[in-house]
Amino acid sequence: MAGSEAETRGVRVSVETAYSAEHSSPQHNRWFFLYTIRITNEGEETCQLVSRHWIIRNATGEVEEVEGPGVVGEQPVLEPGHSFEYTSGCPLDTPFGSMEGSYQMVTSEGAEFDAEIARFDLREPATIH
């Protein structure tokens, strides 16, 4: 398991990753990775995750950006001391790469900010790099 952690304005984003052999097909240049994200509100104001922005890189440096509302079909509201956790996946056409990005958050007072998702590596366990 690899991962990352970042904190922005009291919102901590922790990531753990895993290679999914059953969803991968290396002979067809398809590697699939799972990532579990835990978003914890360590601040003093309630906030809502409204959208996400991902920067995904494969081993050759190709970049794909993904933006959209919420995560896994939800726009969770995080009260102080509460967390939201979800698991999603990312296919790559190389055996390793990375992801990073941000969640667009809005406080109960209407202030907007981007909660950082620190860069984390995606790699097939057999890959040495």
Side-chain angles (χ1 to χ4, degrees), residues 7-58:
E7 185 267 328
T8 308
R9 199 170 164 170
V11 174
R12 181 171 304 280
V13 179
S14 305
V15 183
E16 290 186 354
T17 64
Y19 173 67
S20 178
E22 68 265 26
H23 293 101
S24 297
S25 179
Q27 65 273 22
H28 296 106
N29 291 328
R30 180 178 164 85
W31 289 264
F32 197 83
F33 302 89
L34 297 171
Y35 55 91
T36 298
I37 297 192
R38 185 174 183 85
I39 306 160
T40 304
N41 185 353
E42 298 177 349
E44 297 182 7
E45 52 191 345
T46 298
C47 55
Q48 181 176 19
L49 187 160
V50 293
S51 62
R52 68 192 184 283
H53 176 217
W54 285 111
I55 300 168
I56 305 164
R57 289 181 181 86
N58 71 8

Side-chain angles (χ1 to χ4, degrees), residues 53-113:
H53 176 217
W54 285 111
I55 300 168
I56 305 164
R57 289 181 181 86
N58 71 8
T60 63
E62 286 182 42
V63 175
E64 178 185 0
E65 293 198 45
V66 177
E67 296 183 68
V71 289
V72 294
E74 298 188 49
Q75 292 181 316
V77 174
L78 296 167
E79 295 179 18
H82 289 187
S83 297
F84 180 81
E85 186 173 296
Y86 72 95
T87 299
S88 191
C90 177
L92 290 178
D93 58 3
T94 58
F96 62 92
S98 68
M99 290 178 67
E100 63 189 289
S102 61
Y103 294 125
Q104 290 67 54
M105 310 292 291
V106 178
T107 70
S108 54
E109 303 295 315
E112 298 179 7
F113 68 97

